[in-house]
Amino acid sequence: MVEAFLSITMKIFQRIFFFSFILLSFIFAEDEEVTSFEDYTESEDVTILEGFSVETDEEIASKAQTKKMESAFSIDAQEIQNSSKTISKAINSSSGVKVRKSGGMGSDGKINIRGMEGKNIKVLVNGIPVDAQGNLGLDDIPMEQIASIEVYKGYIPARFATDGAGGAINVITQKHAANSVNAAYSFSSYNTHKASVSASHTIDSLVNGSSLEIGFSGYFNHSDNDYEFTSPYMKSSTGNDTSVIRDHDRYTSYNVQAFANWMNFWLDQISIGTSFGANEKEVQGTEYRILHAQSEGQHWGSNIALSKKDFFLRNLNFDNNFSFRFAKNKITDTSKIHCRGWTICDTTSKNVGELTAMGLPKLRTVEIHEFNDALNFKYEFFNHHTFFWNTLYRFHKESPEDRFGSESVGFNTAGYPGESNSITTGLSLENKFWNDKIQNLIGVKFYYLKSKISSPATSVLNAAEMESNVYKNWSYDESILYQIFEPLAVKASYQHAVRLPTPDELFGDGIQVRAATNLKPEEADNFNVGFSLDWMQVPLITRFRFDGDVFHSYYKNRIHYLSSSQMAVPYTNMEPIRGWGYEGDIKLDVNEWILLGTNFTFQDLRNVNYIAKQGIPENAIMPNIPRFYMNYLAEFHTGDLIRSGDFLKVWWNANYTAEYYYGWKISSRQNRKIDASFTQDIGMEYSIWENKLAWSFEVDNLLDSKSYDNYGESKPGRTFATKIRYSFR
């Protein structure tokens, strides 16, 4: 009764605060919009720093319209580069997107877009799949080294030569000004440290007026991740979930890279780069305590990129990016301690290894070799009519080894070698008519994957055999946008999408995951209809923006892993899944100081057929996927507060997630649910010297509320973070 009263009181308080904020803002309404330091400098006639933009206003507007047509949402990372936010935190505040992590820094995370998640969502950096760029964690990339983040929902443009069934996240890195040094350091709860540095220097007047830019960048991340969490796998005497401290979840990573860009020779740019990085991660138990197991990895990489406009033909642009990567990943699990639950641990010699119930030891090392080549052509054959051809070739080879584990148990525990060759090539055509009032984009992609996998032996008398599988498939898409009149546009898109099996799904890990030699590619038919409204000079306010969509998906051959503590099992394909939902995003620029916003998402995913193996009835709601959630934003910003050229931003963010099902919804009496949550974050940023020096302070989960991402594992409670950033130009 008390909890219900507090919940109602909180909701009433939120609405009173929200509408009072709007009402007070109306009183001070102005005619100009300022949401970032860059907007402030424009409105106050302060000189814009060089290097902030390399595109014309017309090109930027054109790209923005194309993103709308593709159901894309863009986040300007420069607006949040002074904060301690990560990429996950930034995209988690947009509609239709949930980032669900199983721990703190360095933990596994799943990006959920419109109900599709995990490997269904492709993560790209500058248009190249992130799994082709080393052991790169999404949140390892420093925000101050990012220009923008593009979120594609239920649609992956053909110009990204990659597969994927649910959407994509494209991170575009920052191009810093010439002859500059940028550094940042942040400290937050649980002994979390993040540091980054980048520098560049340009040498002008070389051969034929060419120039050479050289530079380097690097980052370092560390966190103990020792927060208290509630585990659904451990029950108290009353049957409730219990809370324990994550005592074995420490994470450290670093990366350094150097580059040289030779510009304006015959080619517009020739880029050469090299990088080295490493990470260490303790393995945290959730079902039972793990004391010693850990993973570590190192990777070396190099790349060369070429680009040229008017490549033999006028308006034909060419670029090619070739990269090589060698990685060495290791899992160490040789302890003789094996815990059952959180307090009872067994030290008998037969229990060697903590990661499996059978006690299989593991000292597994995997060497990975990868080659990637991305080739892109863009040809504007008529004004506002552009043709794209994009191709990505990938070679991946894995060589696992575990002599310690194999000798201990008498059979191969490392898994068997495997390799894959894949080509994804896409053609797309963009047309704009009637002064860009009608925009159309149509595309097609072809996928080819050949994998060679050592299938596990069926008995001790038979040796493993090499199997070769070939996957061929097509995807196609169509999207259109019609600008009815200046503020209002309607849009629609359809894509038949394909996702190919990944190396870890095909090859397995030798212990819990067996090789899956007969996996089928995933396929999805995604529909989207929506409209956007961008209304300037609304009475009493500066700007009103709304973007809304209704979507539907039919998804088959979903690649799924059903874990088993008793035996190794492979990935398998599931029965079809059908989903639909709606989402909306509202932004209100009240005046030059105040920005308000909210967005909402509803999504409903159900299996189409009866699943006999698991006893799941037809039309059952999928488990562990939020069905309804909302985000809220209130921001105040102003400049020249204390001295000329300074900038202050104070903000409040909140997220509400309704309760959802822990397992498949089989009965209306099913009471195993993941509780609803409401969290609030606050923060402030202050910069001086035209944003050269900035400081921020943030509090996440201000009221220390319980919230959940992955089943019933609770997220960190109240946390604090502070950051300082300096830019010398």
Side-chain angles (χ1 to χ4, degrees):
M1 187 72 178
V2 174
E3 292 180 357
F5 174 76
L6 291 175
S7 176
I8 295 173
T9 304
M10 177 64 74
K11 291 179 181 179
I12 294 174
F13 174 79
Q14 294 166 19
R15 284 160 175 75
I16 293 175
F17 173 82
F18 190 76
F19 289 110
S20 298
F21 204 98
I22 295 176
L23 182 61
L24 289 173
S25 302
F26 285 165
I27 300 174
F28 302 100
E30 297 288 339
D31 294 332
E32 297 184 33
E33 171 199 3
V34 177
T35 60
S36 67
F37 174 80
E38 285 69 31
D39 292 328
Y40 169 71
T41 58
E42 290 175 357
S43 64
E44 299 296 328
D45 289 330
V46 178
T47 302
I48 299 292
L49 299 174
E50 293 182 1
F52 269 26
S53 177
V54 295
E55 298 173 315
T56 66
D57 292 340
E58 182 180 352
E59 290 173 327
I60 294 173
S62 177
K63 284 191 174 183
Q65 286 293 86
T66 300
K67 289 173 188 173
K68 285 183 180 180
M69 181 168 52
E70 297 168 340
S71 297
F73 176 80
S74 183
I75 300 170
D76 186 354
Q78 293 191 26
E79 292 187 4
I80 53 179
Q81 65 179 343
N82 295 333
S83 74
S84 299
K85 288 183 178 179
T86 61
I87 295 178
S88 295
K89 190 78 174 178
I91 64 178
N92 200 49
S93 61
S94 61
S95 62
V97 181
K98 268 286 186 186
V99 181
R100 288 133 52 70
K101 304 195 71 174
S102 58
M105 178 188 289
S107 63
D108 294 334
K110 292 183 178 181
I111 301 173
N112 185 299
I113 296 181
R114 296 178 173 176
M116 296 293 103
E117 66 181 13
K119 296 182 178 65
N120 305 309
I121 310 302
K122 284 296 177 179
V123 179
L124 316 170
V125 175
N126 297 322
I128 305 297
V130 74
D131 53 358
Q133 304 190 30
N135 299 335
L136 180 65
L138 186 63
D139 289 338
D140 284 339
I141 308 174
M143 189 61 70
E144 55 274 7
Q145 295 182 10
I146 298 173
S148 63
I149 307 167
E150 299 172 349
V151 182
Y152 294 86
K153 306 173 186 178
Y155 186 97
I156 301 180
R159 68 174 180 275
F160 294 141
T162 184
D163 58 335
I169 307 293
N170 185 34
V171 178
I172 301 174
T173 55
Q174 181 80 266
K175 179 175 175 58
H176 292 290
N179 304 318
S180 64
V181 177
N182 300 273
Y185 169 76
S186 68
F187 172 75
S188 54
S189 301
Y190 313 117
N191 194 30
T192 300
H193 304 263
K194 301 186 72 173
S196 70
V197 63
S198 63
S200 66
H201 177 68
T202 301
I203 304 172
D204 294 318
S205 302
L206 296 179
V207 181
N208 296 330
S210 62
S211 60
L212 177 67
E213 180 187 23
I214 56 175
F216 74 93
S217 64
Y219 62 76
F220 171 83
N221 301 313
H222 173 84
S223 181
D224 289 346
N225 292 322
D226 54 346
Y227 62 89
E228 183 179 78
F229 78 107
T230 298
S231 171
Y233 309 106
M234 295 176 287
K235 301 295 181 181
S236 66
S237 58
T238 59
N240 296 322
D241 295 346
T242 57
S243 297
V244 293
I245 299 294
R246 301 178 75 93
D247 58 354
H248 196 253
D249 201 20
R250 185 174 297 175
Y251 175 75
T252 302
S253 71
Y254 64 87
N255 186 83
V256 292
Q257 56 183 351
F259 67 89
N261 299 327
W262 189 12
M263 298 172 289
N264 301 321
F265 192 53
W266 182 76
L267 292 170
D268 293 335
Q269 183 166 306
I270 302 174
S271 301
I272 300 175
T274 184
S275 66
F276 172 78
N279 63 76
E280 293 183 359
K281 176 74 166 65
E282 294 179 333
V283 179
Q284 172 67 48
T286 54
E287 298 185 42
Y288 54 89
R289 196 172 193 177
I290 294 176
L291 299 177
H292 299 288
Q294 66 176 28
S295 65
E296 58 187 274
Q298 296 179 331
H299 65 270
W300 298 263
S302 61
N303 72 285
I304 179 169
L306 313 172
S307 65
K308 181 172 177 58
K309 295 182 179 179
D310 297 329
F311 184 66
F312 295 112
L313 290 176
R314 181 177 174 82
N315 296 327
L316 175 62
N317 297 342
F318 153 85
D319 66 78
N320 187 83
N321 191 314
F322 172 82
S323 64
F324 165 77
R325 176 175 75 100
F326 171 75
K328 193 172 185 178
N329 300 327
K330 185 178 181 180
I331 296 178
T332 303
D333 182 25
T334 58
S335 172
K336 293 186 178 182
I337 299 176
H338 195 99
C339 298
R340 292 167 174 80
W342 209 256
T343 57
I344 302 174
C345 296
D346 189 355
T347 59
T348 59
S349 59
K350 66 178 181 179
N351 291 317
V352 180
E354 301 179 87
L355 299 182
T356 66
M358 296 182 292
L360 299 177
K362 181 184 278 190
L363 188 57
R364 182 177 188 255
T365 301
V366 182
E367 292 187 352
I368 300 173
H369 294 80
E370 272 194 354
F371 297 92
N372 300 275
D373 189 71
L375 175 65
N376 303 290
F377 287 97
K378 175 184 176 182
Y379 181 46
E380 187 174 5
F381 54 95
F382 290 119
N383 194 26
H384 300 298
H385 299 276
T386 307
F387 176 78
F388 301 89
W389 177 30
N390 311 89
T391 300
L392 176 65
Y393 166 77
R394 301 185 63 184
F395 170 80
H396 180 99
K397 181 179 180 180
E398 291 189 5
S399 301
E401 184 178 1
D402 187 353
R403 292 183 180 179
F404 179 83
S406 300
E407 291 174 359
S408 298
V409 299
F411 59 88
N412 185 359
T413 63
Y416 297 96
E419 66 180 55
S420 63
N421 286 270
S422 67
I423 296 177
T424 302
T425 184
L427 299 173
S428 55
L429 177 64
E430 182 179 75
N431 304 100
K432 299 178 181 180
F433 307 96
W434 293 356
N435 294 323
D436 295 350
K437 289 185 178 296
I438 295 181
Q439 301 181 36
N440 190 77
L441 182 63
I442 186 170
V444 61
K445 282 192 280 190
F446 173 73
Y447 308 90
Y448 174 88
L449 170 64
K450 183 177 182 179
S451 62
K452 294 181 179 179
I453 311 168
S454 294
S455 61
T458 56
S459 74
V460 295
L461 300 177
N462 297 329
E465 296 180 357
M466 182 69 73
E467 290 191 9
S468 179
N469 287 344
V470 174
Y471 301 88
K472 297 178 182 178
N473 219 318
W474 293 84
S475 71
Y476 38 89
D477 56 82
E478 160 67 23
S479 59
I480 187 169
L481 181 142
Y482 175 41
Q483 189 86 36
I484 300 176
F485 49 87
E486 187 58 36
L488 180 63
V490 295
K491 56 185 177 179
S493 67
Y494 163 73
Q495 183 169 55
H496 176 76
V498 172
R499 182 180 83 81
L500 301 175
T502 60
D504 60 317
E505 293 168 337
L506 291 169
F507 304 152
D509 65 5
I511 291 289
Q512 283 292 87
V513 184
R514 286 198 289 123
T517 58
N518 296 310
L519 273 182
K520 299 177 182 178
E522 298 179 340
E523 297 184 49
D525 290 289
N526 300 320
F527 299 85
N528 184 87
V529 178
F531 74 95
S532 60
L533 180 67
D534 193 346
W535 195 1
M536 307 288 287
Q537 303 300 330
V538 184
L540 297 179
I541 63 176
T542 302
R543 186 180 185 187
F544 174 82
R545 288 168 284 174
F546 175 81
D547 195 89
D549 296 275
V550 176
F551 53 89
H552 180 277
S553 297
Y554 185 85
Y555 190 43
K556 63 181 181 180
N557 296 330
R558 181 191 179 205
I559 297 175
H560 175 70
Y561 179 69
L562 184 62
S563 62
S564 172
S565 60
Q566 301 301 319
M567 58 186 299
V569 295
Y571 280 89
T572 58
N573 293 106
M574 283 187 62
E575 295 290 332
I577 295 170
R578 180 174 52 242
W580 77 280
Y582 53 84
E583 62 184 46
D585 195 303
I586 302 171
K587 290 287 179 62
L588 187 66
D589 297 297
V590 178
N591 51 44
E592 63 177 303
W593 306 301
I594 296 170
L595 169 67
L596 303 175
T598 185
N599 60 61
F600 55 87
T601 303
F602 171 80
Q603 54 196 21
D604 182 271
L605 280 83
R606 301 168 185 258
N607 67 302
V608 176
N609 301 323
Y610 168 66
I611 304 177
K613 290 182 179 180
Q614 302 175 42
I616 299 172
E618 180 182 346
N619 206 37
I621 297 175
M622 283 194 68
N624 195 36
I625 295 180
R627 288 169 55 78
F628 180 78
Y629 51 91
M630 295 187 69
N631 295 288
Y632 309 89
L633 166 68
E635 180 183 301
F636 172 80
H637 37 254
T638 186
D640 291 341
L641 187 65
I642 300 176
R643 53 180 295 167
S644 177
D646 68 1
F647 189 77
L648 173 69
K649 179 193 293 185
V650 181
W651 52 265
W652 168 82
N653 283 343
N655 171 264
Y656 168 76
T657 303
E659 69 175 14
Y660 53 101
Y661 293 98
Y662 182 93
W664 288 91
K665 185 184 177 184
I666 298 175
S667 168
S668 59
R669 297 181 180 180
Q670 192 168 325
N671 57 10
R672 183 58 160 154
K673 297 180 180 179
I674 299 173
D675 294 336
S677 61
F678 181 78
T679 58
Q680 303 177 71
D681 307 332
I682 61 171
M684 66 169 294
E685 304 171 16
Y686 180 68
S687 63
I688 59 175
W689 304 334
E690 299 177 3
N691 203 31
K692 291 180 180 178
L693 179 64
W695 170 81
S696 67
F697 180 77
E698 302 163 40
V699 182
D700 284 358
N701 198 354
L702 178 65
L703 300 182
D704 200 24
S705 304
K706 286 285 186 185
S707 60
Y708 307 88
D709 261 353
N710 185 42
Y711 288 102
E713 299 173 27
S714 61
K715 297 166 63 176
R718 184 188 300 114
T719 59
F720 304 87
T722 186
K723 178 180 178 179
I724 187 168
R725 185 186 66 83
Y726 178 70
S727 178
F728 172 78
R729 296 181 286 269

